[in-house]
Amino acid sequence: MEVKLTLSDWLSIVGTAISLLGFTITIFQLKKTKNAADAAQVASNEAKNTMQQLDTIVSMQKINGQFDELKTVLRHNNLAVAIIYITDLRKSIASLKGAHSNDASYFQKHLNILTTIHSKIENIDIKTDPEIIRDIILQISDIQDSICERSSNNISTFQQEKENKNVNA
């Protein structure tokens, strides 16, 4: 027995085939969209990390300048202004500590030293102990050298990562 297909039967078959094709295209487009979203997320994370690295580098350079200004003020025995600089430095370093929890102990060590220096300056009597300013400046220079070294390492790491991304691109 021969089955004769009517026009509506043929239209149903063609409609089903078109629906399957549309479904397949939809699945393919969803996968492309997901891949594009994943790539955008990766690019966004990389941009965020780059901005954080640059912010850290800029912050460390700013701190370096604050240390230079603090030493100048101390050399002129302007202790009231020195206290202001130390307070600002403590805030700046505390911000770095908060932004870089993996380096918290590194920054905390410097905060502790600055707190001790702050206390010394509050109680200083330059007339009875003129060498104390020199000792404080040396301590400040040690902290500054350490932070400058860390900043240089951050810059080198940043440049190396950038070069690696350019090579891989």
Side-chain angles (χ1 to χ4, degrees):
M1 166 162 161
E2 191 175 312
V3 176
K4 199 168 191 182
L5 299 175
T6 64
L7 179 60
S8 65
D9 293 334
W10 280 108
L11 290 175
S12 291
I13 291 171
V14 169
T16 302
I18 290 173
S19 294
L20 288 173
L21 179 63
F23 184 71
T24 303
I25 290 171
T26 300
I27 296 295
F28 176 73
Q29 289 298 328
L30 285 172
K31 285 185 180 181
K32 277 179 57 176
T33 301
K34 183 184 181 317
N35 290 341
D38 290 344
Q41 183 67 40
V42 167
S44 172
N45 288 341
E46 287 177 2
K48 180 182 171 188
N49 289 339
T50 298
M51 292 304 293
Q52 286 175 336
Q53 286 177 318
L54 288 173
D55 186 49
T56 298
I57 290 167
V58 168
S59 293
M60 288 182 149
Q61 293 303 315
K62 179 184 169 206
I63 288 169
N64 184 42
Q66 287 174 308
F67 275 121
D68 285 337
E69 292 168 0
L70 172 60
K71 290 188 295 187
T72 299
V73 166
L74 284 170
R75 285 184 184 105
H76 291 95
N77 294 328
N78 193 339
L79 302 181
V81 175
I83 293 295
I84 294 169
Y85 277 109
I86 288 176
T87 302
D88 287 345
L89 277 163
R90 289 172 63 191
K91 288 177 188 174
S92 298
I93 293 172
S95 291
L96 281 177
K97 177 186 167 193
H100 300 279
S101 57
N102 55 331
D103 288 334
S105 63
Y106 170 80
F107 292 115
Q108 186 60 51
K109 175 181 77 170
H110 296 310
L111 285 171
N112 292 343
I113 295 169
L114 281 174
T115 301
T116 302
I117 291 170
H118 187 160
S119 178
K120 281 182 187 177
I121 291 174
E122 289 283 359
N123 299 312
I124 199 169
D125 183 359
I126 296 174
K127 293 175 184 149
T128 60
D129 192 3
E131 292 295 309
I132 194 158
I133 295 292
R134 185 184 60 79
D135 294 340
I136 289 172
I137 290 172
L138 289 174
Q139 284 181 304
I140 290 168
S141 293
D142 287 343
I143 296 171
Q144 184 179 20
D145 291 346
S146 176
I147 289 179
C148 281
E149 182 180 341
R150 178 68 62 103
S151 179
S152 294
N153 290 341
N154 286 348
I155 292 169
S156 296
T157 300
F158 178 75
Q159 288 173 332
Q160 186 64 41
E161 287 174 359
K162 188 175 177 183
E163 289 172 8
N164 290 342
K165 285 178 191 173
N166 289 339
V167 168
N168 293 334

